[in-house]
Amino acid sequence: MATFKEILPSDIKTARSFLNQLVDVLQEDVSASVSRRKYQVFITGGVGPGVTSSLFQTVYDQDFTLQTANAIFDMTMGLYPDGATVATSQTGVDAAGKELFPSSSLMMREKMDVYREFAQQLLGDADGVFTAPLDSSDATNQVDAALFIGFKRLFARDSIKRETFAMRFYQTASVINNVAGTGPAETNGNSVPNLYITSTSGSAIYTDVGAATNKLTTFGGQVGNVVDSANTSKNVGLIFYDRGVLVLDLKKVTSASQYMSGTMDAMAPLGSQVLGMSGSQTQFLSTFIPDFVVSASIDNIVDHVASCRLGSGSQTAMTFQNTTNINSTLIFCRASADEFNYSSNPTFTDTTNRIVVIDVGQEDTQQSFTYVTSIGLYDANDNLLAVAKLSRPVLKNPERDLMLRVRLDF
């Protein structure tokens, strides 16, 4: 009847393999308001009307209220606490060491805290500064205003594969039209708002080309420099492969001095021309950096990047290949010619315990045989741990040695 056979250590081998999957993030998934989830956790108090905002937004592959929606990445921005943008807007420090800013700014301490958190997680130092390229000592390469994109585990898996990342990013917003016809377009009070209008030109492709030959490692694991594909000597950010985090220098990926016009959550935007106010909403005209990133809420900035800089069409906004590490245990189950030629199925024998043969009368001469359909793996106490199913039945008889390989992936 059916028997057990001990698996020896020599029958067990381990192996490691990698699986790569291509991930495409469409522009419309990023730009659509229904696919971007906000978390209203910040609210102003004291001066002026209340302003609420998220600290980050999550982008889904469809309407995030649907049960089938999958979160693709989180997006937020931060300011380097010791950078020029913070220094030019800061008014001082109180007795408790808290940074002070004018009422024309918004969420400055939150933006600095976001930067510190990513610096702690990726650089191992909350007071550290991101540089593009990595480890550059040139102050001009410090990432002063950063856009952080953290890909979810479902899509980034164990890591992002080197030299597979690319993104389409519009460096300029839509051009502001001079409606009145007098003076520069950027200073004309009749300019058309462009804050949330999708850019139609001026896109660049940013990629991690060269990362496979110039392998860099830091506290956050493997990292690569993100460059402009049209000029690979221009470093615009970093990508942390093991953490699935993209860090972009907003001063390098955008036309920082371009004037922005629109409506945002602020009382009196820094260095801007106020065109009108309604409740907590202010119509403004100001430069992107430093005015807009200082005076706007994180929600305003993320909304602008998602709806304007990453496009709203059906093209690919970002693409990469992820890597899944597969650790495998290979168990070789061997059956010699004399083994496993009988079955424990009750129909295998008749009432007299003689093997049921195909040809009647050949009970004493016909060899027994079986068809192997599954393999059971047991522990030392004969407890069934796992069952492996064969894709098709395999013949086993006294004239055949059989070896089956069971693969356990985890």
Side-chain angles (χ1 to χ4, degrees):
M1 302 304 289
T3 59
F4 294 95
K5 184 172 183 179
E6 182 181 358
I7 298 175
L8 303 176
S10 59
D11 295 326
I12 302 175
K13 304 295 180 182
T14 59
R16 188 179 184 186
S17 57
F18 304 93
L19 175 66
N20 298 120
Q21 295 175 306
L22 177 64
V23 177
D24 271 324
V25 182
L26 300 181
Q27 291 175 329
E28 55 192 0
D29 287 336
V30 183
S31 62
S33 59
V34 295
S35 60
R36 274 187 290 116
R37 186 177 183 181
K38 299 181 180 180
Y39 310 87
Q40 305 294 340
V41 297
F42 171 87
I43 183 168
T44 58
V47 180
V51 175
T52 60
S53 176
S54 308
L55 295 179
F56 66 93
Q57 294 183 17
T58 302
V59 174
Y60 288 76
D61 57 1
Q62 55 184 302
D63 187 340
F64 66 81
T65 61
L66 301 177
Q67 289 185 337
T68 54
N70 297 303
I72 306 175
F73 60 82
D74 295 327
M75 181 161 52
T76 186
M77 67 84 56
L79 296 175
Y80 177 44
D82 296 327
T85 302
V86 172
T88 55
S89 59
Q90 189 173 359
T91 59
V93 180
D94 66 9
K98 183 174 68 175
E99 300 90 344
L100 302 177
F101 298 92
S103 60
S104 57
S105 65
L106 187 62
M107 299 184 71
M108 288 299 290
R109 284 184 286 272
E110 285 73 21
K111 295 169 184 175
M112 295 161 60
D113 286 342
V114 168
Y115 195 103
R116 289 192 183 101
E117 181 178 353
F118 277 94
Q120 176 64 51
Q121 295 296 322
L122 301 176
L123 302 178
D125 181 10
D127 296 322
V129 58
F130 294 99
T131 59
L134 183 69
D135 296 333
S136 173
S137 58
D138 190 341
T140 60
N141 290 328
Q142 292 184 353
V143 181
D144 186 32
L147 176 68
F148 298 103
I149 296 177
F151 294 97
K152 295 293 187 179
R153 178 70 170 78
L154 178 64
F155 293 92
R157 297 301 175 94
D158 291 318
S159 66
I160 295 176
K161 186 179 179 181
R162 289 181 180 272
E163 287 201 6
T164 64
F165 177 82
M167 72 179 300
R168 186 191 309 274
F169 198 91
Y170 289 87
Q171 297 170 301
T172 60
S174 297
V175 176
I176 300 177
N177 297 319
N178 185 351
V179 179
T182 59
E186 289 79 9
T187 59
N188 189 325
N190 293 319
S191 300
V192 176
N194 68 346
L195 186 60
Y196 302 120
I197 298 177
T198 301
S199 296
T200 57
S201 61
S203 66
I205 303 297
Y206 298 127
T207 177
D208 65 334
V209 62
T213 55
N214 184 24
K215 294 186 177 181
L216 305 171
T217 304
T218 186
F219 179 85
Q222 299 182 80
V223 60
N225 293 315
V226 178
V227 300
D228 188 335
S229 62
N231 179 12
T232 56
S233 63
K234 179 182 178 182
N235 291 268
V236 299
L238 303 168
I239 180 168
F240 292 81
Y241 299 105
D242 297 329
R243 299 296 183 94
V245 176
L246 174 68
V247 182
L248 292 179
D249 188 342
L250 284 173
K251 286 186 176 180
K252 292 183 178 180
V253 299
T254 66
S255 178
S257 61
Q258 183 186 13
Y259 274 75
M260 310 301 300
S261 177
T263 302
M264 68 177 180
D265 298 322
M267 283 71 76
L270 177 71
S272 66
Q273 177 181 347
V274 178
L275 306 181
M277 296 185 67
S278 176
S280 63
Q281 298 289 308
T282 300
Q283 295 179 348
F284 73 100
L285 182 67
S286 67
T287 60
F288 183 68
I289 298 176
D291 300 339
F292 178 66
V293 298
V294 168
S295 300
S297 67
I298 291 179
D299 265 349
N300 289 151
I301 298 171
V302 173
D303 285 342
H304 167 72
V305 172
S307 61
C308 176
R309 304 292 179 164
L310 292 173
S312 62
S314 58
Q315 292 181 313
T316 297
M318 284 176 273
T319 184
F320 60 88
Q321 289 184 31
N322 61 32
T323 300
T324 302
N325 301 327
I326 302 176
N327 296 295
S328 304
T329 299
L330 305 178
I331 303 173
F332 294 90
C333 303
R334 309 175 195 275
S336 64
D338 296 330
E339 295 177 315
F340 299 101
N341 297 320
Y342 298 88
S343 172
S344 59
N345 192 312
T347 62
F348 198 74
T349 58
D350 58 19
T351 55
T352 62
N353 290 326
R354 301 183 68 182
I355 296 176
V356 177
V357 296
I358 297 176
D359 299 321
V360 179
Q362 301 296 319
E363 290 83 0
D364 296 327
T365 59
Q366 197 169 69
Q367 291 182 331
S368 65
F369 63 92
T370 60
Y371 280 93
V372 181
T373 59
S374 59
I375 298 174
L377 300 179
Y378 294 78
D379 64 10
N381 297 318
D382 293 341
N383 296 312
L384 181 63
L385 303 178
V387 176
K389 293 291 185 179
L390 278 67
S391 59
R392 60 179 179 82
V394 176
L395 175 65
K396 178 67 182 73
N397 59 38
E399 297 180 356
R400 300 187 67 180
D401 276 334
L402 189 62
M403 183 179 68
L404 299 173
R405 186 186 68 177
V406 177
R407 183 185 185 110
L408 300 177
D409 293 334
F410 54 94

